[in-house]
Amino acid sequence: MTLQPPLPRSARSATAPPPISNIPEQSLPFQGRDEQIAELMRLFSRYGHVLLHDAESGQGFGKTQMAIEYCKRFTRRYNVAWWFDCFGEQDDTRLAALIEEQYRVLRERCAQAPGAPPRSRPDSKWLFVYDNVSDPDRIYDHFVPGAGHRLVTSRTKGLTWGENCLALDGLSQTIAQALLLEHADGITAEQAEHLAGLAGGHPGALLMAADNVYQFGYEGYMAQLTPATLDTPPHGTPVLSPGSLLDPIDKRTLIEALLRSPVNGTRETFDLWIQSVQLAVDPIQLAPLVDAGSTRNRTIAIVNFAVTSPAVLTALADALEEQGDNEATRVVRHLVDKAVKDGKQGGSS
């Protein structure tokens, strides 16, 4: 199918997204990556595709958020910015199906867009982001044909990428403390310094700490931390929620997807979502969590409760789908299905 480019860039403001775009909203406060974003731009001036990976394999140092920020800062460079969520899928056939479905949506959007005469192939004014790629050495086979820019994020560097890649490590201690002081109300500078040290500059761990401090207070949060042992993840990042079906990164992704989903549009839609969840599980279990402050805090509290229960996780996703199909809903469904499947396999092993 021939893709049709949208209106020229001159027709939009500096802050408007490209006419055809599905770039996610920034789900975490973004700080301290100016040099790396400038380096991404430099790499794109030399290469058509760039890999953004963790400096320490698998540690999740905020690649997705940085990719979103790059898209936001350089929006006027592109006429199309399209996000392919690869979900860390390791099976090549399923990965191809995921990408093809998301590409189908892009083709539909392009077919409906007014503008210049159609072109058969994307050019350098098109940006494709392949997020959360399990094996960056295999993603080449799934690139959309053409000369568009491709930004790949992965927890590993792979073996076939040369100089067209950028390693992402943790935030500095100073920025980590500032992030905590901004988002964890009521903590002192000394407490922020302690939490920043525990998180080791990991953005996800920092924001999870801020969320929990906001909900439980500093002392209450500290009481929940698993003591550091040889099994503690790198940087001494604390392990929370023993028995959780989701790792900290997936848990954060689930929370942020729920927050940008339609159920968080109004208090009415949120209440309808909770009522649907309560119909599927024991309503007494959720009662203390439903009115725990702001919508964000209630969502965090519900997820903290749900991550150890396949039934509650499934109910969250099912109730979300009742309010419509959208990008956030699909992210939640994928995470929940994967967590429940992995939990069942782990229980039978």
Side-chain angles (χ1 to χ4, degrees), residues 41-59:
M41 189 66 258
R42 186 191 71 81
L43 288 170
F44 270 128
S45 70
R46 300 180 60 187
Y47 306 100
H49 51 279
V50 177
L51 171 66
L52 182 63
H53 65 93
D54 290 325
E56 298 181 36
S57 182
Q59 293 312 304

Side-chain angles (χ1 to χ4, degrees), residues 7-14 19 76 79:
L7 293 171
R9 288 186 298 153
S10 59
R12 71 180 197 267
S13 71
R76 294 197 69 186
N79 291 329

Side-chain angles (χ1 to χ4, degrees), residues 64-78:
T64 294
Q65 301 305 314
M66 183 168 159
I68 296 172
E69 185 68 14
Y70 171 82
C71 296
K72 288 172 56 181
R73 293 193 191 184
F74 294 99
T75 180
R76 294 197 69 186
R77 295 185 64 87
Y78 300 105

Side-chain angles (χ1 to χ4, degrees), residues 133-157:
V133 169
S134 174
D135 184 352
D137 296 328
R138 296 206 325 263
I139 194 62
Y140 299 105
D141 296 334
H142 303 292
F143 280 163
V144 172
H149 284 175
R150 292 97 165 211
L151 177 58
V152 177
T153 75
S154 178
R155 298 185 184 186
T156 180
K157 181 180 180 181

Side-chain angles (χ1 to χ4, degrees), residues 230-245:
L230 292 177
D231 295 326
T232 300
H235 311 297
T237 303
V239 179
L240 300 179
S241 303
S244 174
L245 298 170

